[in-house]
Amino acid sequence: MAARQRRRRENLLPIEERFRNNAFILISTMLELNEQNPERRALVDEILHSIFFLGKINIPPYLPHHILNNGEVFDGIRARFPRPFDLYSSQVPQRCPFSCVADMLTDEVGQENEYEIRENLQALIKQLEPEPRLSSATMCVSQKNTQPDSVRYYGVSMSTPTPIARKVMVAISCLVTWDDYVASAVMSYYPNFAKNPNFDGTIQLPQDVRCQAFSLLRNEEMLACRSCGNLFGLTPTDENGWFYGNCAEAESLSNLFKNDAEIRNQSEPTAETYTPENREGVHDKVLGILQDLLQQLYFEWEGAVYSPL
């Protein structure tokens, strides 16, 4: 009964209202968590900018005053976090909104509490409308080995409302956010499913590394998709292959590499075409694609990337 009522409500709500509802729930959740952990104020600043940016590049756009359509709430949040309001229309974010949520919840319960982090993310997702998506469908945890006490590094899949926004955020992640080895692997394919014949930055993870994906919607472990198998040497893989860079494995492994130099060094790409000159070429290609995508979305960009306080 509850599921039928939810579907009926989703069909009645216009897409603009569903976007606003999802955005407002995420913002409210982050504000509440920040009250418990004031030191993580930068994550609230970051998610505000990320949501406002995704609203800005949507067609039609959802602007901050649409999302925070109560004047008192709008003024209160803007007074505390002015920079996202000032810069969402000129600077691109570093990450999708749900990555900020995952970081906040990890800080709240501790990285070692993997099951609790997953439960909390799932509980939040149940409050959201499924479309347009501002939450992630999957999460991933990476560890240097399978020992229970090794540090866990989390990542979530792209949380964007449209396919073109996903392409934008994958490009930004390759250029700005992810560890160079993870970015190089993804840029070996981006923006297509065919591998670049002139550049191979794919990697082979050390055998002992744990990289496990979970469905946040079905509450179950998942095999790596075929695309992640191609990028990172993960086995076994599912027969499906998602858009390169979309999956949670990229963010999770990037976080592992940024914090564990030994594992990163063991994962260095080894192909003959992985050269500084070739990498610079694919970097410039992805930058050009990002510029073209933003132009299509009427976003005037001069190359600035948002840095949360």
Side-chain angles (χ1 to χ4, degrees):
M1 177 67 72
R4 284 201 302 271
Q5 290 176 342
R6 179 180 174 86
R7 285 194 296 271
R8 191 178 301 118
R9 186 178 73 252
E10 290 163 4
N11 291 334
L12 292 174
L13 282 174
I15 192 168
E16 295 88 349
E17 186 66 13
R18 283 181 269 148
F19 183 98
R20 193 201 75 80
N21 287 349
N22 286 348
F24 190 76
I25 289 170
L26 292 181
I27 292 169
S28 299
T29 299
M30 291 292 280
L31 287 169
E32 290 173 10
L33 291 170
N34 183 229
E35 292 297 323
Q36 304 166 28
N37 189 0
E39 294 180 357
R40 301 302 280 162
R41 185 177 188 275
L43 287 172
V44 182
D45 187 272
E46 183 178 7
I47 197 174
L48 284 167
H49 178 270
S50 184
I51 288 173
F52 293 165
F53 169 81
L54 290 175
K56 166 71 175 174
I57 66 171
N58 198 77
I59 300 176
Y62 309 130
L63 302 181
H65 66 270
H66 298 142
I67 297 168
L68 304 172
N69 62 359
N70 178 296
E72 185 176 345
V73 172
F74 180 95
D75 292 341
I77 294 177
R78 181 162 193 168
R80 293 174 62 191
F81 301 94
R83 293 177 72 251
F85 292 83
D86 295 337
L87 299 174
Y88 76 91
S89 59
S90 61
Q91 297 186 5
V92 299
Q94 297 184 42
R95 303 189 294 173
C96 289
F98 217 64
S99 296
C100 304
V101 176
D103 274 6
M104 184 73 90
L105 289 173
T106 301
D107 286 346
E108 182 186 32
V109 304
Q111 57 80 21
E112 66 278 8
N113 295 306
E114 180 180 319
Y115 182 75
E116 189 174 352
I117 292 169
R118 193 162 75 244
E119 272 196 327
N120 288 344
L121 290 173
Q122 290 171 322
L124 177 57
I125 289 171
K126 287 178 181 177
Q127 300 178 46
L128 304 173
E129 309 285 355
E131 298 295 339
R133 183 171 297 284
L134 285 176
S135 60
S136 299
T138 61
M139 67 168 281
C140 178
V141 57
S142 295
Q143 298 171 260
K144 66 182 300 180
N145 54 46
T146 56
Q147 295 299 316
D149 60 348
S150 68
V151 178
R152 291 163 168 79
Y153 298 98
Y154 296 91
V156 290
S157 57
M158 289 289 163
S159 52
T160 55
T162 62
I164 192 169
R166 178 183 61 190
K167 283 188 176 181
V168 166
M169 292 307 302
V170 171
I172 293 170
S173 298
C174 287
L175 297 172
V176 176
T177 313
W178 288 333
D179 172 83
D180 284 351
Y181 290 170
V182 171
S184 294
V186 174
M187 290 192 296
S188 301
Y189 287 86
Y190 183 91
N192 304 310
F193 277 92
K195 193 174 187 180
N196 186 332
N198 302 313
F199 179 76
D200 184 356
T202 58
I203 63 179
Q204 178 63 58
L205 290 173
Q207 186 173 358
D208 289 342
V209 168
R210 178 190 180 217
C211 182
Q212 179 62 60
F214 298 88
S215 169
L216 293 172
L217 305 180
R218 300 190 305 273
N219 192 27
E220 62 185 19
E221 290 189 358
M222 299 172 61
L223 294 175
C225 77
R226 187 175 67 251
S227 300
C228 288
N230 291 338
L231 295 178
F232 309 123
L234 296 170
T235 58
T237 62
D238 187 82
E239 62 182 15
N240 295 316
W242 301 107
F243 184 81
Y244 283 95
N246 175 75
C247 297
E249 284 88 340
E251 184 173 59
S252 177
L253 287 172
S254 175
N255 289 334
L256 171 64
F257 288 174
K258 287 180 179 181
N259 289 278
D260 195 313
E262 180 182 4
I263 295 299
R264 184 181 190 275
N265 291 338
Q266 293 175 18
S267 305
E268 183 176 6
T270 58
E272 291 184 2
T273 56
Y274 183 74
T275 66
E277 295 80 8
N278 289 345
R279 193 187 189 285
E280 183 178 358
V282 296
H283 177 280
D284 291 346
K285 176 185 175 183
V286 172
L287 177 58
I289 292 170
L290 174 59
Q291 291 169 331
D292 289 344
L293 289 170
L294 292 175
Q295 188 173 21
Q296 292 174 38
L297 296 167
Y298 306 103
F299 188 88
E300 296 183 10
W301 187 51
E302 297 182 355
V305 178
Y306 189 74
S307 180
L309 291 175

